[in-house]
Amino acid sequence: MVPITTFHYLVVAAALFVLGVIGVLTRRNVVIVLMSIELILNAVNLNLVAFSRMWGNLNGQVFSIFVTVDAAAEAAVGLGILIAFFRNRETINVDEIDLLKW
Amino acid sequence: MLNQFTSYLGSNLTPGTANNQLWALIYVLIIFAGVSVAVMAMNWLERKALAHFQIRLGPMRVGPHGLLQPFADALKLMLKEDIIPAEADQFVFWVAPLIGLLASFTVYTVIPFGPSQAVSDMNIGILFMLGVSSLGVLGIVVAGWASNSHYPLIGALRSSAQMVSYEVAMGLAVVSAILMTSFNETGTGTLSMIGIVQSQQQQGIWFIFKFFPLGLIAFAIFAIAMVAETNRAPFDMAEAESELTAGYHTEYSGLRWSLFMLAEYAAMIAVSAIAVTLWLGGWMRPFPNLLHAPAWDFLFSLFPGLTFLGLAAIALIGTARMPSHSFFRIQRIGLAVFAALLGIIALLLLVIAVAGRSADASLAARFNEGIGYVYWFVLKVAVFMYLFIWYRATWPRYRFDQLMKIGWKVMLPISLGVLMVTAIVGVLVK
Amino acid sequence: MNPVLNSGMAPVATPWFFYVLGGLAVASGVAVITRRNAVHAALALIVTLLSVAGLYLMLYAPFVAGVQIIVYAGGIMVLFLFVIMLVNIERSSKERRFNRMWPVGLAAACALMALFVSAIVKGKTVLTDPRTGQALWPDIIAKLPESSNTQQIAGMLYGEAGRMGQYTFAFEIASLLLLVAILGAVIMTKKKI
């Protein structure tokens, strides 16, 4: 068996990142778009922690804690915006949330 | 495999630290069996104790004094028809009780029954416990939604809002207990559960009594929050039988409902074990530093045997008081057999206590020590279990807005205040 | 056992664990972006988050794993499930899953994936670190002790500015950010401001 190195973790993180980007760009349901953003942030965290292990200090881990805190704040505010919009327009479809289009 | 089996027998590390997978598996199986037996015993005790609080007798027919009632209940639930609502989401309906069960049982990997009697001594033990018990909320939310009916949905949303609110106060109370572990020479605390009990031993005081009354207030906050966290009375609005037709597990029948009940009781035992570990000294016998002579050690090591002897005596008195009618003959014989069983266990424990009274590394002495640790831990957790039943029998339930008001407006400020004052006092005393 | 990680400390897990956790994370990620039902996607995201927490444990980062389980799986996902139940419209589960721009989105994501693959593979084989002369992601991994991870992270987050705490100021700013987020979410969802 090949020993598990940083390369393997980077591959998993890249796969999660690309899946998150596909989710953000192609899905109609706004809640699923927000969940794909969480996937992207998790991929970034995995990258940070893998590199922290590679270099042997803890800067990457501390940074990933801050990214997690950021993701929590952003999820809360994003879902608040979604609820406020849903109360007005009764839809959660990105194709129909186009009030600012000319 | 045999090598793994024998190489662990002499060590004083947990299987996780010793990297021994076979013994970790054995410990997990022992814990699983023990928790299942404890849940059945808790079920029986709850029905009997509630009945006696309400001046009635409770189950008396199924076994002698209803001792076989949990088995009858389990058999009935397994044989009941498995009803799934028509419009319910099949996969999610099936997976919801499993999430709750997994969350409740995974906490047991970090609970220490002794200084090396834990499945694994993770160095983030308390953090792991807090995280995994917050996964239980997910099971309830998903169960309520998957039933596709409004009573379970409202019950699930209420229950999860309550659990999330009291998790905050619980976490802050836990943090003030962790803070107390750092009042040693190096000034560094620990998050590992075994380390917390060892720091109580080192500082010579249970954390409930440290910086009196700060430890007591933190313990009280945790004790109230853990009752709310497991949806037990007086915080059982979510499953209140009279208001919401059993809340989030309304649509579950038979074996699935028993999984919910198993998860709830296992969570109760788990959070009580956490409270015992953090504030009440875990596996330590009373006064381990003050009364340190071998005579006191021997006296306290007789307690397990004497407890079982007392239980056997109560069973014998029950046998003697059974009516001497031919209808009660089988029950009388059954209770006598049960008393004899308890007596045999008591005799075995007393023999081990007497044989292992010297503090050397012989097999009897190590058994004696291990039994002592497990006994004091289980005794303290059993006190909490009885308190849970007492709360349910005595207090009326809170209305939901009162419940949320207490969680956010009373418990959270008090726990924050206790944390700050503990930190200030700790720095001043140093 | 893994010989590379074995120098000085017992490894956390065998490579088998990595393949299972990594495969589970990617498979659940695929389930998140393809399920029609939002609750199924949320459950798949929970599986992804828990397997990433397992990967953190393999990377000798137990504190980050604990934070991941508490904050992400226990907090954010409960929030997501609440909102899904609040905005759950029946017709959304019968409509098309992907929006009007899906070919463009997919092409952009494929370009991004090509970029990542080239960067990672080049870092392993072609590029060299100017300081050490080895490959950019070397095969030998530095050791991180597990037993004092929390204490060291605490030192970096809360320590004095000169001695240990490199991130104390950032920690205070992060708490301010959380306060702003709380206020924003509460005001956003009020019916009458």
Side-chain angles (χ1 to χ4, degrees):
Chain A
M1 266 262 149
V2 180
I4 303 294
T5 60
T6 314
F7 172 72
H8 295 80
Y9 290 103
L10 294 184
V11 165
V12 172
L16 282 175
F17 192 97
V18 169
L19 286 172
V21 167
I22 294 178
V24 169
L25 293 176
T26 54
R27 289 295 304 241
R28 280 165 75 106
N29 196 343
V30 176
V31 185
I32 300 202
V33 167
L34 286 169
M35 285 199 268
S36 312
I37 296 178
E38 300 299 326
L39 264 184
I40 294 175
L41 287 165
N42 264 295
V44 167
N45 270 346
L46 188 57
N47 237 335
L48 281 168
V49 175
F51 278 127
S52 142
R53 168 104 172 107
M54 186 179 98
W55 288 115
N57 58 17
L58 290 177
N59 286 316
Q61 294 185 18
V62 175
F63 198 177
S64 79
I65 294 178
F66 283 117
V67 172
T68 304
V69 163
D70 250 337
E74 162 216 332
V77 174
L79 289 168
I81 295 177
L82 170 68
I83 291 182
F85 194 86
F86 176 76
R87 233 182 249 143
N88 283 321
R89 293 287 150 179
E90 285 289 327
T91 178
I92 50 169
N93 208 338
V94 291
D95 287 336
E96 297 172 15
I97 303 177
D98 52 359
L99 282 175
L100 285 177
K101 273 177 80 168
W102 51 278
Chain B
M1 174 102 47
L2 198 60
N3 193 16
Q4 276 205 343
F5 187 82
T6 51
S7 68
Y8 179 71
L9 284 176
S11 80
N12 58 349
L13 299 171
T14 65
T17 320
N19 215 4
N20 194 329
Q21 286 96 352
L22 177 68
W23 272 97
L25 187 63
I26 292 178
Y27 273 33
V28 163
L29 289 174
I30 291 177
I31 286 180
F32 192 71
V35 169
S36 305
V37 166
V39 165
M40 295 188 104
M42 178 68 185
N43 197 8
W44 175 81
L45 185 66
E46 172 153 34
R47 290 183 71 166
K48 290 296 274 188
L50 273 178
H52 282 272
F53 272 111
Q54 295 163 357
I55 322 183
R56 54 185 175 92
L57 281 177
M60 294 286 281
R61 278 187 183 275
V62 182
H65 287 271
L67 281 169
L68 295 179
Q69 182 72 41
F71 295 99
D73 279 340
L75 201 61
K76 173 203 80 166
L77 286 169
M78 273 193 262
L79 295 175
K80 253 185 152 174
E81 177 189 359
D82 191 17
I83 305 174
I84 301 183
E87 300 286 324
D89 197 341
Q90 303 277 334
F91 173 68
V92 176
F93 193 82
W94 171 80
V95 111
L98 294 181
I99 298 179
L101 204 60
L102 278 173
S104 302
F105 271 94
T106 311
V107 182
Y108 286 93
T109 50
V110 292
I111 290 181
F113 294 91
S116 69
Q117 279 89 341
V119 174
S120 125
D121 180 28
M122 301 176 71
N123 79 324
I124 48 154
I126 270 295
L127 206 63
F128 182 76
M129 185 285 296
L130 281 174
V132 170
S133 63
S134 65
L135 287 178
V137 183
L138 290 169
I140 293 180
V141 167
V142 161
W145 185 84
S147 305
N148 201 24
S149 118
H150 39 261
Y151 281 129
L153 188 60
I154 298 179
L157 287 176
R158 279 186 178 178
S159 167
S160 51
Q162 163 192 331
M163 286 171 86
V164 163
S165 323
Y166 283 88
E167 245 166 43
V168 183
M170 201 165 92
L172 282 172
V174 164
V175 168
S176 62
I178 305 291
L179 187 60
M180 291 182 195
T181 65
S182 71
F183 297 147
N184 51 11
E185 301 88 37
T186 63
T188 308
T190 173
L191 285 177
S192 105
M193 305 278 275
I194 294 185
I196 293 173
V197 180
Q198 280 172 341
S199 75
Q200 289 184 58
Q201 190 170 18
Q202 191 189 26
Q203 296 181 22
I205 188 171
W206 284 0
F207 282 162
I208 188 177
F209 300 120
K210 195 164 175 72
F211 297 149
F212 196 83
L214 290 174
L216 189 62
I217 297 180
F219 169 72
I221 300 267
F222 188 86
I224 298 174
M226 81 180 180
V227 175
E229 192 62 24
T230 51
N231 282 327
R232 286 286 290 193
F235 299 108
D236 62 349
M237 192 57 172
E239 54 184 40
E241 280 112 16
S242 47
E243 266 109 4
L244 270 181
T245 64
Y248 61 88
H249 46 74
T250 310
E251 301 287 340
Y252 285 85
S253 60
L255 196 58
R256 297 180 207 271
W257 182 84
S258 70
L259 289 179
F260 272 119
M261 189 205 68
L262 184 61
E264 175 175 324
Y265 280 122
M268 277 165 61
I269 301 178
V271 289
S272 311
I274 305 291
V276 163
T277 306
L278 255 69
W279 279 279
L280 291 180
W283 62 77
M284 296 195 293
R285 65 169 175 82
F287 304 113
N289 293 335
L290 199 58
L291 304 171
H292 192 58
W296 284 107
D297 281 342
F298 176 62
L299 179 65
F300 278 111
S301 71
L302 287 178
F303 268 68
L306 290 178
T307 311
F308 272 95
L309 211 56
L311 288 175
I314 294 177
L316 271 177
I317 295 176
T319 316
R321 291 184 47 176
M322 198 88 74
S324 54
H325 195 265
S326 66
F327 286 167
F328 290 94
R329 201 178 46 172
I330 295 185
Q331 285 207 357
R332 202 168 189 174
I333 296 175
L335 196 56
V337 165
F338 189 62
L341 215 63
L342 287 174
I344 292 176
I345 298 178
L347 234 60
L348 198 62
L349 288 173
L350 283 174
V351 161
I352 292 180
V354 168
R357 69 172 173 273
S358 56
D360 56 7
S362 68
L363 194 66
R366 287 196 9 232
F367 258 120
N368 189 19
E369 228 179 46
I371 287 176
Y373 293 142
V374 175
Y375 169 76
W376 287 108
F377 187 82
V378 170
L379 182 69
K380 295 174 195 176
V381 172
V383 168
F384 272 96
M385 289 292 110
Y386 186 72
L387 281 176
F388 269 111
I389 302 176
W390 198 352
Y391 297 158
R392 183 175 177 179
T394 326
W395 287 332
R397 65 175 59 97
Y398 277 108
R399 221 172 50 223
F400 190 65
D401 60 321
Q402 290 173 335
L403 205 153
M404 298 295 278
K405 183 176 84 110
I406 292 176
W408 288 108
K409 291 196 197 170
V410 173
M411 307 269 287
L412 182 60
I414 293 181
S415 54
L416 267 177
V418 163
L419 179 62
M420 285 195 282
V421 174
T422 309
I424 294 174
V425 169
V427 165
L428 286 179
V429 163
K430 200 173 243 243
Chain C
M1 286 292 170
N2 199 340
V4 172
L5 299 172
N6 217 356
S7 37
M9 222 184 117
V12 177
T14 61
W16 184 80
F17 265 123
F18 170 77
Y19 286 117
V20 164
L21 286 172
L24 198 61
V26 173
S28 312
V30 171
V32 170
I33 63 172
T34 55
R35 302 300 300 171
R36 198 180 290 268
N37 192 346
V39 175
H40 290 183
L43 289 178
L45 186 60
I46 292 172
V47 175
T48 306
L49 294 171
L50 291 177
S51 23
V52 169
L55 286 173
Y56 290 155
L57 281 176
M58 283 186 67
L59 283 168
Y60 291 88
F63 187 73
V64 182
V67 165
Q68 167 100 350
I69 295 181
I70 294 181
V71 172
Y72 258 116
I76 296 182
M77 290 322 295
V78 172
L79 180 61
F80 265 106
L81 280 169
F82 272 6
V83 171
I84 289 174
M85 286 178 209
L86 278 173
V87 301
N88 190 29
I89 332 174
E90 272 313 304
R91 67 180 174 96
S92 74
S93 58
K94 299 181 180 62
E95 282 185 336
R96 294 194 331 258
R97 276 179 292 173
F98 301 109
N99 60 19
R100 285 195 302 250
M101 296 290 165
W102 73 268
V104 177
L106 202 56
C110 285
L112 190 64
M113 182 161 67
L115 177 66
F116 278 150
V117 166
S118 72
I120 295 177
V121 170
K122 272 182 118 169
K124 186 172 170 65
T125 54
V126 171
L127 295 176
T128 55
D129 192 355
R131 280 181 295 167
T132 62
Q134 289 179 325
L136 211 53
W137 334 128
D139 276 351
I140 308 298
I141 307 176
K143 294 189 287 292
L144 276 179
E146 191 188 351
S147 58
S148 63
N149 188 25
T150 312
Q151 283 85 347
Q152 283 184 312
I153 292 184
M156 289 171 85
L157 278 177
Y158 302 119
E160 304 166 22
R163 205 157 55 93
M164 263 170 95
Q166 306 160 290
Y167 294 94
T168 313
F169 186 59
F171 177 75
E172 301 295 336
I173 301 289
S175 59
L176 201 59
L177 177 104
L178 280 176
L179 178 67
V180 170
I182 291 174
L183 286 172
V186 166
I187 292 181
M188 202 84 65
T189 50
K190 280 169 83 77
K191 287 211 168 86
K192 286 169 44 139
I193 301 180

